[in-house]
Amino acid sequence: PVALLAPPHRRPAAAGMARAACAVASLALLGIVAAVGAKGPCSEGFVRTSPVIFMCGGSDGQVSSQYLALAGSNTKSFTIPKGTKDFQVAVVLETAKDDVDLLVYNPSAQEYLVRYDTGKVSDMQLRGTLSGAGVGSDVGVTYTGSKSTPETVTLSGSAPVALEVHIKNNGIFPVTVTLQYSFGAITDCVDPWIGGCEEYDPFEVQRTIVDWGIWVATNYGTADKAWRELAGPMTETQQGWPADAAMVPFHKWSYVWTAWPMADAKGAKWQEVFHYVAPAGEFADKSGFDRAFALANISAAVESCAVDLHGNISSEDDAWNYLSKVDNMDTFLMECSKKTHIGVGELRLFISRADGHDELAREEFQSLWDRLHLCPVGFYRASEVIFNCHASSGHVEVLVAAQKDTSIAEFPRGIINLEVSLLANRDIDLMLWDPEASMWVVKWEGGIIGRGKQNGEYKGAQLTFSGDDSRGPLYEESVTIKGHLPTKLALKVHNYASMDTAVVLSYSWDQIEGPSCKNPPSGCKAIDEQKAATSADQLSEWMLKTYGSQHEAWQSFQRRYAVRSGVSEWMRFLSNGLRFNDWQQVWQAWPAHQQAPSSWQEVFFFADADHNGVVNETELGALYRQHKVKEVLSDLFMGLHQSEPNWTTAWQDSAEGSTKITSSRWQSMVMDLLEKRRLPGGSPVCKPPPAQKPAVFAQSTRVALGQAGKPKKIGNAEELGLVGNSFAVLVRLKVSGEAPSSQVGPVLGTPDAAEDQALFAGVLGGRPAMSFGGKVCQSDVVMPVDGWVEIAWVYDASTKEQRLYLDGSTVKVCGGVTAFLGFGAAVWEGLGEDPAVSWEASLGSLQIFPSAVPGYELRSMFKYTPKWQLDGEVTIDDADSAVRMGTSDSLGIRHRSFTALVSLFRDKSEDNGYQSVYTIFGTPKDNSLEMVVWNGKLGFSFGVTRCASDLVVPTGKWVDVGFVYDAERREHAIYQDGVLSKKCGGVEPYEGEGSEVWLGLSGKGIGDWKGKMRNVKIYGHSECGEALRVLSGQAAVAPAPAPTSRRLLSDGLGSVARQEEQAIEDVANDALAVVDLNHDGAIQQGEFLAELRAITGDTTLPVGSTATASATSTTSAAVVTMSTVATTTAAPVATTTVVAKATSMEVPTASPTTFLLAPTTAAPQAPAPPAPSTQAPAPAPATPAPSAAPPVPAALALAAPVPTPAAPAPAEPAPAIPPAPGAASEQEVSVFHLPFVGTIKVDKDGEMETGGNAATTAAPPAPPAPPAPPA
């Protein structure tokens, strides 16, 4: 019954079914393979392809061989050569039930010479004649008839033409027949010619077996199962063999091989494959089958090792010279074996013994190197396949879009003997389109070759189409083009599935001739590095905002975008990075990819720094950090320039008196800049806060949860954006009381929803947890008790992931979760799962966002979420109307930096007398913390340490006030209407443990507030004036910086998960690689000046270390503002010569769209195309950034020269913010970007010389003096 479920031609005999259950052992290990069969008579380099072998001298009597007639088949068994004398063949059946007919076909006459029903000789006419070309050359034909046993045909005389012997099986099971034959000498035959043998192409056989291996591994999983189900019905045992030994004889291998739907479409026949599986004899055993089964994995492993080889040796000729040496080849194989866990012998057999010889042949090396899909220097891979002139083959994965046609490759005219096939686990159609003739050449419905005609000629080439495969679960279609293709043909795939599908593309060709044989080859295009770098910077900026760390980005991309075909495990060795087509999915995940100036293929080329076809974790980390490095260098050098106009002081502060900035010192500088916002010398860098996402619900008042709390309904699930979509819930929470493991309680929940639809965001077992739809996601990290923490519960509908964050770090990611579907559910604060009796918590803030907030933004969002705020307006005129804010601990004031903002309206009843003090913020218990108006001016005190402004706060009008304490610098700062009015140093942090802080109320001796207050906010960090103006609403959030063309090439970074300190170290390393032009691991004075000139564009700066200071130093405490920037006229771009070590290269100087690069010229990947040495591909002209956006820092770029852009009209410099009367001498400075034009030479020590037109650009006019402020 099982057998009858198979297609008729695949149904095994009963005896074969019985034997299929037997255990199979490797006879190779038993040493008896050679004993069971002798190698056929074929010459060296030829293999047996026929059951009957014809030699010039004749058969020397009767010979027997066996042949397997597949069920329902009528196929050619062998060919009788022309000139064969007195041939006779008889078909002997195993049983009388076998229904088999012997036929002889004359292909020259296209008719059956012998056939039981319609032949010239048949059951009705048992004798006949085959006419020859001359007199007396007729051949007599005798047939015993189809009912005779055995059925026999005899030819008397020499065959005048070649004849085909067919065996027709009329049954529903395969049948083994014995052919008993004899023949005399063959006329006009020259030894050592042998009929039935064909030349063996080991490379074609290897390619075919790899394709078969992909299919068979997908269908059967393991070699044992595949052997049992494919070969088991055909195995035989013989007397004297071990009881558990079984092998497949030569004649039965066709059954095993033709189970593969593509068997007849490939270049190697089953007989050639059998020679690979059973090179020693007439039987294929389990060990040979296993070797063939493993070939697909070995192929993928070899490709992975080729990638590593290219990482060390990028030149094809150098790689060939290296591997052609035996010792080097041994080393390569051993390293590959260590990586892939495949034996050295198996790797050697695949790479260097495919042709049967031990030495690595050039053709074998070429096959290895072609797997890298390399383009010459200056060109990028733009196609799935690179069409080299020489014979080539390979496999690639291709992503095809859902329910549409996808173009994969364009076959060039002049390609010879092309084979292409596609394999997928969803229904697809392979199609060929002629773009010149505008017609479908191959298409199941509507093609010249298709449903009605699967073989045919097109423009002189012979095409064979496998037909439409719609059987499943695997779908495989192929096209073979024999001969010379005289026209271009586009390969397209239609995907019928409702989702994007990855397919395996297999291809091979013998040669490309004519004009299409060129360098660079078809499939390569010239790279515009400027555009690619700009796109890469934009992608980097998105990655920074989307992923909390480069390791998180790497894991997400590997998990979501390194999507293999699902067809097999054959590419498991290739998962050491994001490959070409994986990158397409990364690119499409970026929402703005369609607006990028370059394609995903160009950005892949840019990100793949070593151009080995894989973006590994190191390279992705460099891309991830790229935008951050640009910001760091801009902030650092622009900040130094503004805080220290005397460049020598800036250099001395940076180098700390040394002759160079060492790597460790540079790390410290970047760490201070990113963590402390401090420049060398101590000056702070002030940047506005980033724009914050609007919350659909926000609550900043403190709420008790648990037994002491009172649950509150905050809305329904749809209104809050929780149903069917991504969302994020952000809270500040403090858990009190019992040990963490006993803490169970909801922060947010839907208690009225059905159990399998209920939403829960809270704490389970002392750990943050989230659940809905019956899926629970619980952190492995236990929360602290009696301490404030920041928690985010995030659901991403696009990836079906729940993500839990604790204090900015990812603590759990749970996948496979469908969206929350609690339609109509009421959402409650503090109500959901039944809380434990011991549940006791305080909720400091709660925000709900209708989107999946990326981890990168969480720290910023929590940072700029006030610890406490009062949005409305309040009138305070006595103690009863004062507002209690909370304790110093809950407000984040004790022992920490903080910022307090408030808009004040002083009642006219408040006077400015020396003894008149009015409370803004106070601690009534002991007056240990006071922010007041005293003597009409703002005052700030911790205990007896006081700081007072010199500016009067007017009555009868609103005034924006900021009190800032910087715990690290031990400084009080007072701001009035966004301007720094006083700064006082030497202030120790506030120590008032548990002190109650009030709005408008202090203790004895300090008056209550008289007037109004609004927009009250307390932040848990220190802020500067520019940020205060944004946070208080006086200034707009600065737009995101424009993208630049910076590229990072520092090596060995970002290869493991990073802690925050390590991530900063990586950024510092990348930035050092940019500034360190001579790559000696330190920054010389000349290199420092080069970057300073490039970033600031200040042409008045000297070039070289011997320059002297031309300006006096100002106070080192000046605050540098990075947002109030005025753009200036872009100077023409000049070519700059940079000499790094012994290398000289032409580079452009600063322009508004270029940024300093590490050297982008990689070692040669392939022979460069012939091209004029003086001509470089010209990138598109730079486009000036919009005037509303901050300018892009101008810098050196080690890339091809950039054409001179037209200079835009001069822009008016932004006026500096006028200081208020009595303001402190430390004022914020507007930053100007000035382009640098000139020729720079850097020697091996990093010193610089100048030349060219470095002084051709004048500085812009100074900004006009600000108007005098009103009295």
Side-chain angles (χ1 to χ4, degrees), residues 713-1025:
K713 179 181 175 182
I714 62 174
N716 67 54
E718 289 96 327
E719 293 171 347
L720 297 173
L722 303 175
V723 175
N725 296 309
S726 302
F727 63 85
V729 179
L730 277 62
V731 302
R732 283 197 180 98
L733 188 70
K734 181 175 78 171
V735 176
S736 305
E738 299 293 332
S741 60
S742 63
Q743 296 287 355
V744 178
V747 173
L748 210 65
T750 55
D752 300 329
E755 183 176 352
D756 60 345
Q757 292 295 331
L759 170 70
F760 171 86
V763 177
L764 293 177
R767 297 171 170 84
M770 177 184 191
S771 70
F772 54 80
K775 299 290 183 71
V776 178
C777 188
Q778 183 178 10
S779 165
D780 299 324
V781 179
V782 178
M783 296 167 47
V785 173
D786 295 325
W788 288 93
V789 295
E790 294 168 341
I791 304 175
W793 297 278
V794 178
Y795 175 68
D796 189 334
S798 66
T799 60
K800 296 185 177 181
E801 289 179 340
Q802 294 173 335
R803 304 178 195 145
L804 307 180
Y805 299 87
L806 182 62
D807 287 333
S809 298
T810 306
V811 291
K812 192 71 173 181
V813 176
C814 302
V817 183
T818 55
F820 174 56
L821 299 177
F823 294 95
V827 181
W828 288 73
E829 178 185 87
L831 190 63
E833 295 277 338
D834 293 335
V837 175
S838 60
W839 171 244
E840 180 183 347
S842 296
L843 184 65
S845 63
L846 168 63
Q847 299 176 88
I848 301 176
F849 299 89
S851 62
V853 177
Y856 171 81
E857 295 185 9
L858 289 174
R859 288 182 183 271
S860 174
M861 294 177 73
F862 277 117
K863 178 179 179 179
Y864 290 103
T865 298
K867 301 281 188 178
W868 188 91
Q869 74 179 67
L870 179 68
D871 291 325
E873 183 179 304
V874 61
T875 299
I876 301 175
D877 50 22
D878 54 29
D880 292 337
S881 56
V883 178
R884 179 186 178 277
M885 299 171 62
T887 66
S888 58
D889 297 274
S890 66
L891 295 173
I893 289 175
R894 180 170 174 261
H895 287 167
R896 296 182 61 183
S897 300
F898 66 88
T899 298
L901 300 179
V902 60
S903 294
L904 303 175
F905 187 94
R906 292 184 67 196
D907 191 90
K908 293 185 180 298
S909 62
E910 289 190 353
D911 64 62
N912 294 342
Y914 185 78
Q915 300 297 328
S916 301
V917 185
Y918 303 97
T919 302
I920 302 172
F921 302 101
T923 52
K925 178 181 177 181
D926 53 12
N927 291 339
S928 58
L929 180 146
E930 298 296 326
M931 287 164 262
V932 300
V933 171
W934 166 61
N935 194 23
K937 303 167 186 176
L938 296 173
F940 193 1
S941 67
F942 294 167
V944 298
T945 305
R946 298 173 182 173
C947 186
S949 168
D950 297 323
L951 298 181
V952 173
V953 180
T955 61
K957 63 176 294 186
W958 287 100
V959 177
D960 290 323
V961 172
F963 297 96
V964 179
Y965 175 66
D966 188 328
E968 183 179 353
R969 292 176 64 86
R970 300 297 197 263
E971 283 182 350
H972 274 158
I974 302 174
Y975 291 83
Q976 184 170 320
D977 283 332
V979 177
L980 177 66
S981 61
K982 191 65 177 181
K983 184 177 286 187
C984 304
V987 183
E988 294 300 314
Y990 178 62
E991 295 286 349
E993 181 177 3
S995 298
E996 292 280 349
V997 182
W998 285 71
L999 188 66
L1001 179 64
S1002 290
K1004 184 178 180 181
I1006 300 179
D1008 302 333
W1009 184 255
K1010 306 295 183 184
K1012 304 174 184 178
M1013 297 186 194
R1014 68 185 182 194
N1015 298 334
V1016 185
K1017 300 174 184 177
I1018 306 294
Y1019 294 94
H1021 64 277
S1022 61
E1023 275 296 355
C1024 56

Side-chain angles (χ1 to χ4, degrees), residues 130-139 156-158:
L130 175 61
S131 300
V135 177
S137 61
D138 293 348
V139 175
S156 301
S158 296

Side-chain angles (χ1 to χ4, degrees), residues 1116-1257:
S1116 62
V1119 180
V1120 180
T1121 301
M1122 306 307 294
S1123 62
T1124 52
V1125 180
T1127 56
T1128 60
T1129 302
V1133 178
T1135 299
T1136 302
T1137 301
V1138 176
V1139 182
K1141 297 183 179 178
T1143 303
S1144 178
M1145 60 192 78
E1146 295 295 316
V1147 299
T1149 51
S1151 76
T1153 57
T1154 59
F1155 210 80
L1156 182 61
L1157 311 178
T1160 61
T1161 304
Q1165 312 156 43
S1173 59
T1174 58
Q1175 184 110 17
T1183 304
S1187 58
V1192 177
L1196 294 173
L1198 299 187
V1202 180
T1204 302
E1212 287 294 327
I1217 299 173
S1225 62
E1226 304 157 309
Q1227 64 175 334
E1228 295 168 4
V1229 184
S1230 296
V1231 176
F1232 296 87
H1233 286 211
L1234 306 176
F1236 165 74
V1237 179
T1239 301
I1240 299 172
K1241 288 186 178 180
V1242 185
D1243 64 19
K1244 61 183 177 62
D1245 298 319
E1247 305 303 337
M1248 305 182 66
E1249 310 169 10
T1250 183
N1253 57 345
T1256 59
T1257 304

